[in-house]
Amino acid sequence: MEFGLTEEQRDIQTMTRDFARERIAPRAREWDREHVVPMDLLAELGELGLLGVCVPEEYGGAGADYLSFILVIEELSRADAGVGVAVAVNTSLATLPILEFGTQEQKQVWVSRLASGEVLGAYALTEPGSGSDAASIVTSARRDGDGYLLNGAKQFITNAGFAGLFVVMARTGPPGSGAQGVTAFLVDAATEGLALGREEEKLGLNSSSTRGLVLENVRVAESARLGAEGEGFVIAMKTLDGGRIGIAAQAIGIAQAGLDTALAYAGQRQQFGQLIADFQAIQWKLADMDKDIDAARLLTYRAAWLKMSGLPHTAEGAKAKLFASEMARRHTAEAVQVLGGYGYTKEFPVERYYRDAKITEIYEGTSEIQRLVIARELLKS
Amino acid sequence: MQTVVLVKQVVDTEAEKRLLPGEWRLDRASVENILNPYDEYAVEAAVQLKEELGGEVTVLSMGPQEAEEAIRKALAMGADRGVLVSDPVLQGSDALATARVLAQVLRGLGFDLVLCGSMSTDAQTGLVPAALGELLDLPVLGAVNRLEVHGGSLKAARQTDEGAIVYECPLPAVVAVAKGINEPRYPSLRGIMGAKKKPLDTKTAADLALELGAVGLGGARTRVHAATSVPPRAAGKTVTEYESPQEGARLLADFLHENKLV
């Protein structure tokens, strides 16, 4: 067993941490309050190579490993969870499925642009009537000459406001054909008939764009189909298997930010004539945060290691995401508690961490779905 | 354009620094070590000159084996190769002894320009550039906040309270850049990945045929005899009882006058 990071992983982690601390964290409060998606920052991330961390060099990426990507998501999310998820979605849910399931042509057309940030990617599976029950989607893709016509609506699409590419799951089979009738498509955002819904007003994650999509006779060529007809659900689920590890890392970053703030505050705040860090009541909170963040890291890094070693990681990714997201929600609440009344105000960032953490229990598979995934793997044998 | 950048690995500026008891040297093992922040400006300046004029940037450091990490960061920022002088006999070198070692390496390297930061954040002497100029018989310019190279000469500006002083001098030269001459870049991922493939030579005192009496603790002209901690600040005075804001302000002003603070 080897628990240490390689020199390269550590250098990437250090650079991202420095960058996030100096360039992202100081602006996060304003982005949250003003609901701003920091496009200038995303461009900067592209220049640094952070939008294509684990994309091979031949496709314009940095050529680092998957664990490095996970470390990057964690460090970015520690400064701003909305920035973290923008990067996680661009790589996990748009770039990696093209690398895994795409044709040579699709890789040439899209991957280097996604890795550099010239184009950002989004993933459109969820629909107004289809969330956890993803196999029930009704957006249709009907054969039309040498291509397809897409019709339907998608909901809660992260990165939608600025994405240049949508990975869209649509039904090529007859209505009610379930998982077998789903096909994946790479849809250029500029395609006629594709319109965006309004920006959702959310509890948190205000620096992230979340919008619906309306597809009205959106015509795509056959070359835009990702994988075979009917393979879309498998592609969607395999993509989420990896995506979840990224969300686990996002949750860890948020929780770590909560601990950082609580620790600093407890070391300065005096009550009853002593630092509150000297009270066991506070020490226990801090110790539990640190312990659970560590446990989440170990689960998450293991899942990342399995993925980059080409080993099965469905249940391990689900465990990491489930544990990390619930831990983040619980401990960001504890961080607010450590800061007391100050923690409840927007003068301190912990209330933002608390609001941001909640989404990690919902998107890319709710906690309930993660338990289902784990139980299924458990009962398989 | 061949530029050599002198760098030093220092303890993290945010870390709590400790001195080794009895030796009065920094305890580097207990904290994170980083590339001296002032040196980042020199690395950035060198990489910018390379981008403009072509050529090569060599990063030179003296320190323990771990100082490789500081060199690697400079390589990740765009420098081309590194040289680390590392030898236990060099421990305890003061600024002059350090300059002697660096001068010896520089004699063996072809260069047009030596760039360095204004000082290291640990010892903060800022003496090495001047000592190097003396040892190598080269012009030295310090506190430079603008730098241009044209053919065989450089033009450098130094900001003062009254205005900017512009100097010109022939190359080769030694230039210490001021904080703020540029905004050092973050190493890109590609830079980080590529840094490991760039050549990094490690040299010992023997490799450099150094005269041992002139380097290390034995060659140091200065010695730290003692160090004391800054005494904790005495509790301040809080003005809490006053009849009116005017009276409160007067009490504050009295305090400042009594303590000769205004």
Side-chain angles (χ1 to χ4, degrees), chain A residues 49-96:
Chain A
L50 293 173
L51 295 174
V53 177
C54 56
V55 175
E57 279 179 272
E58 56 175 310
Y59 294 111
D65 59 20
Y66 186 79
L67 181 54
S68 298
F69 163 66
I70 289 302
L71 297 169
V72 164
I73 297 301
E74 182 183 329
E75 293 302 332
L76 294 176
S77 302
R78 189 171 171 182
D80 185 282
V83 170
V85 77
V87 176
V89 166
N90 182 66
T91 297
S92 285
L93 303 190
T95 313
L96 295 185

Side-chain angles (χ1 to χ4, degrees), chain A residues 7-8 10-11 15 19 22-23 48-50 53 60-64, chain B residues 14 32 68-69 72-73 183-184 186-190 192-193 196-197:
Chain A
E7 218 167 63
E8 191 176 284
R10 218 179 49 227
D11 286 349
M15 185 279 283
F19 178 83
E22 293 157 14
R23 304 294 280 265
L48 287 173
L50 293 173
V53 177
Chain B
E14 284 174 22
E32 286 280 301
E68 258 187 41
E69 288 175 28
R72 220 177 40 238
K73 175 158 188 197
E183 196 179 330
Y186 293 90
S188 72
L189 254 63
R190 210 171 274 194
I192 292 172
M193 306 288 293
K196 280 220 306 234
K197 295 171 201 140

Side-chain angles (χ1 to χ4, degrees), chain B residues 170-189:
Chain B
L171 294 174
V174 178
V175 172
V177 300
K179 183 179 171 175
I181 182 174
N182 51 41
E183 196 179 330
R185 69 193 66 191
Y186 293 90
S188 72
L189 254 63

Side-chain angles (χ1 to χ4, degrees), chain A residues 2 49 100 128 276 354:
Chain A
E2 175 60 71
E100 193 173 350
I276 64 169
Y354 181 44

Side-chain angles (χ1 to χ4, degrees), chain B residues 136-227:
Chain B
L136 295 170
D137 198 21
L138 293 176
V140 178
L141 288 169
V144 166
N145 69 352
R146 214 176 64 229
L147 181 64
E148 291 166 28
V149 172
H150 302 285
S153 71
L154 68 79
K155 203 190 237 185
R158 177 192 287 172
Q159 193 66 39
T160 72
D161 288 343
E162 287 79 32
I165 308 173
V166 180
Y167 300 87
E168 269 187 54
C169 85
L171 294 174
V174 178
V175 172
V177 300
K179 183 179 171 175
I181 182 174
N182 51 41
E183 196 179 330
R185 69 193 66 191
Y186 293 90
S188 72
L189 254 63
R190 210 171 274 194
I192 292 172
M193 306 288 293
K196 280 220 306 234
K197 295 171 201 140
K198 292 177 177 174
L200 201 168
D201 301 328
T202 303
K203 293 185 189 296
T204 61
D207 294 336
L208 296 168
L210 288 165
E211 193 190 317
L212 290 183
V215 296
L217 202 56
R221 296 279 187 90
T222 60
R223 195 147 305 174
V224 180
H225 286 281

Side-chain angles (χ1 to χ4, degrees), chain A residues 148-368:
Chain A
Y148 295 87
L149 273 184
L150 273 57
N151 280 285
K154 294 289 177 182
Q155 182 92 321
F156 304 140
I157 308 306
T158 302
N159 287 358
F162 50 81
L165 169 71
F166 291 93
V167 179
V168 177
M169 262 52 71
R171 185 165 300 285
T172 42
S177 54
Q180 281 75 31
V182 175
T183 303
F185 295 92
L186 303 177
V187 182
D188 190 317
T191 314
E192 205 178 321
L194 188 151
L196 296 180
R198 65 173 172 81
E199 212 37 91
E200 296 290 348
E201 282 195 53
K202 308 184 293 275
L203 172 66
L205 219 64
N206 289 331
S207 58
S208 166
S209 170
T210 313
R211 300 170 79 154
L213 286 189
V214 178
L215 301 133
E216 206 177 339
N217 288 325
V218 171
R219 193 170 193 290
V220 297
E222 184 163 7
S223 61
R225 195 185 66 222
L226 183 65
E229 270 195 25
E231 203 192 350
F233 194 75
V234 172
I235 291 174
M237 291 303 114
K238 281 194 172 165
T239 299
L240 289 176
D241 275 353
R244 282 170 189 145
I245 308 172
I247 300 306
Q250 185 201 22
I252 293 165
I254 301 170
Q256 181 67 52
L259 175 56
D260 295 342
T261 311
L263 203 54
Y265 184 86
Q268 287 172 0
R269 172 73 168 172
Q270 296 234 356
Q271 286 292 280
F272 302 102
Q274 64 180 47
L275 290 174
I276 64 169
D278 292 332
F279 289 110
Q280 205 174 47
I282 300 298
Q283 290 173 358
W284 285 21
K285 285 188 201 301
L286 298 173
D288 280 340
M289 285 184 203
D290 194 40
K291 173 257 295 174
D292 288 340
I293 290 170
D294 231 7
R297 265 198 195 109
L298 291 171
L299 281 172
T300 304
Y301 295 178
R302 179 189 61 170
W305 176 82
L306 286 168
K307 179 169 165 60
M308 71 189 196
S309 307
L311 295 165
H313 55 273
T314 302
E316 288 79 3
K319 287 179 203 173
K321 199 248 182 197
L322 173 63
F323 184 81
S325 59
E326 294 192 339
M327 171 287 284
R329 189 252 303 142
R330 198 169 60 245
H331 285 316
T332 50
E334 286 295 82
V336 173
Q337 195 68 19
V338 170
L339 272 73
Y342 290 106
Y344 197 66
T345 70
K346 292 190 191 285
E347 287 301 304
F348 286 86
V350 283
E351 60 82 32
R352 168 164 59 87
Y353 304 149
Y354 181 44
R355 288 183 286 112
D356 287 351
K358 179 61 198 174
I359 189 59
T360 63
E361 293 183 300
I362 299 169
Y363 61 16
E364 299 201 31
T366 60
S367 292
E368 292 70 24

